[in-house]
Amino acid sequence: TYVYATLTPTTSIISISHNATSPLKAGNTLTVTLIGVANGTATFDIGTLTAGRAMTQVSPGTYTGSYLVVAGNNVKDAIVTGHLLIGTTTYSLAATPTVTFDTIVPTFTITVSPDPAKAGTVSIVVIASEQLTGTPTLIARDSANGTISTVLLIGDNLVFTYSGTIATAQGTATVKVSGADLAGNSGSKTTTFQVDTIPATFTITVPVCVKEGTFSLKITANEKLKGTPSVTIKDSNGCSTIAFELISSANSVFEYRG
C-alpha cells in the first residue's frame, strides 16, 4: 500500500536581495532580485518612497527590478520589501540590509581664528554637515597666491581642526574646503580672512607749548586697532606720569585730555 502526499511550502519566496551595500546618490540604480516560485507576479517597495515597482522574471523563479535614484530621493534605512503573487495569494519578504538614498551634497562651515591674523599660526576649524568618506581637502593661499602650510590636528568626523602657518604676505587669504559624503556627493566651501603682518603706525598731535592747566592730545592710527592704544605721558623731566583721560574714540582717532 502506498500513500501519496503533496507538501505545500510555507512561503513562495526563497530570498530577496539588492545591490545597495552603501548609500546611493542621484544617478545610481538600485537593483532588486527576488527568488521564489516561477511564473508569479513580483513587485517591490522601498520604504515609504515608492511601492509596487514591477519586477521581470528573467529565468524560472528569478525576478529582477530596478529603481533609478533621482534628486530629491532622500531616505535613510528604508526597508526593501518584495512581494510575489501566486494565484490569489501574495507572499512578502523584507531584504537586508536596509537602503539609504542621499542626493544632498555636504556643506561646510569654516572658522579662522584670529581674523585678522598676524605672522605666526592660525586655527582653521571645518565643520561638515554630514559624515564624510574621509578627511576633507583643505587648500589655504595667501594674497600672493602662495600656499599656507596647514596641519590637521583633530579629525573627528564631523569636525576637523587645522593649524596654519602665516608668513609675511599682507592682504586677503583664502581657504577652500572640499569633500564627499558616504554616498559620493561632493561639496565645497570657500572663505577668506585677513592677514596683517605690518605693525600699526601712529601720529601724535600735541600743543607746541602747554602752560599749567589742561591740554588735549590726539593720536591717529593708520589702521583700525583692536581696542584703545596704550598711552603714557610724562613730564619734561621724564620722571612723573601725567594723568589723562580718554575723551573721544572713533577708531582710528583717539583724543585725550591731560
Side-chain angles (χ1 to χ4, degrees):
T1 302
Y2 296 93
V3 177
Y4 295 93
T6 300
L7 298 178
T8 302
T10 58
T11 179
S12 290
I13 300 177
I14 297 172
S15 67
I16 181 170
S17 59
H18 58 74
N19 65 330
T21 57
S22 60
L24 303 183
K25 64 178 181 178
N28 292 156
T29 298
L30 173 72
T31 301
V32 180
T33 301
L34 183 150
I35 297 176
V37 174
N39 303 320
T41 300
T43 60
F44 71 93
D45 310 332
I46 306 172
T48 58
L49 177 65
T50 185
R53 306 290 300 187
M55 303 183 75
T56 301
Q57 184 173 226
V58 294
S59 64
T62 299
Y63 307 81
T64 63
S66 62
Y67 181 84
L68 177 64
V69 181
V70 298
N73 289 162
N74 297 296
V75 294
K76 182 176 175 59
D77 298 329
I79 298 174
V80 175
T81 304
H83 308 284
L84 183 59
L85 175 63
I86 303 295
T88 59
T89 303
T90 297
Y91 299 88
S92 300
L93 183 66
T96 55
T98 57
V99 298
T100 294
F101 299 164
D102 180 2
T103 67
I104 301 173
V105 300
T107 59
F108 301 92
T109 59
I110 306 172
T111 303
V112 181
S113 178
D115 181 11
K118 62 181 181 178
T121 60
V122 293
S123 171
I124 305 173
V125 178
V126 176
I127 302 177
S129 60
E130 57 182 307
Q131 190 171 358
L132 306 179
T133 55
T135 303
T137 299
L138 184 145
I139 300 174
R141 296 191 180 278
D142 59 29
S143 59
N145 203 35
T147 300
I148 297 175
S149 175
T150 58
V151 176
L152 178 65
L153 301 179
I154 301 173
D156 184 14
N157 226 328
L158 313 164
V159 181
F160 305 85
T161 302
Y162 301 80
S163 175
T165 302
I166 303 296
T168 58
Q170 180 90 357
T172 301
T174 303
V175 177
K176 181 178 181 180
V177 174
S178 58
D181 62 20
L182 298 182
N185 300 299
S186 297
S188 64
K189 174 69 178 292
T190 300
T191 192
T192 61
F193 66 99
Q194 296 302 309
V195 176
D196 185 357
T197 60
I198 301 174
T201 60
F202 302 91
T203 59
I204 303 174
T205 305
V206 293
V208 176
C209 182
V210 177
K211 64 180 181 179
E212 187 176 350
T214 61
F215 67 96
S216 296
L217 167 71
K218 182 168 73 173
I219 296 176
T220 304
N222 69 326
E223 59 182 313
K224 279 192 174 183
L225 304 180
K226 183 180 180 180
T228 304
S230 176
V231 179
T232 301
I233 304 175
K234 291 186 176 293
D235 61 19
S236 58
N237 295 321
C239 298
S240 301
T241 299
I242 299 175
F244 63 92
E245 62 178 340
L246 179 67
I247 58 175
S248 70
S249 173
N251 215 333
S252 53
V253 179
F254 306 85
E255 283 195 70
Y256 300 84
R257 177 183 295 127

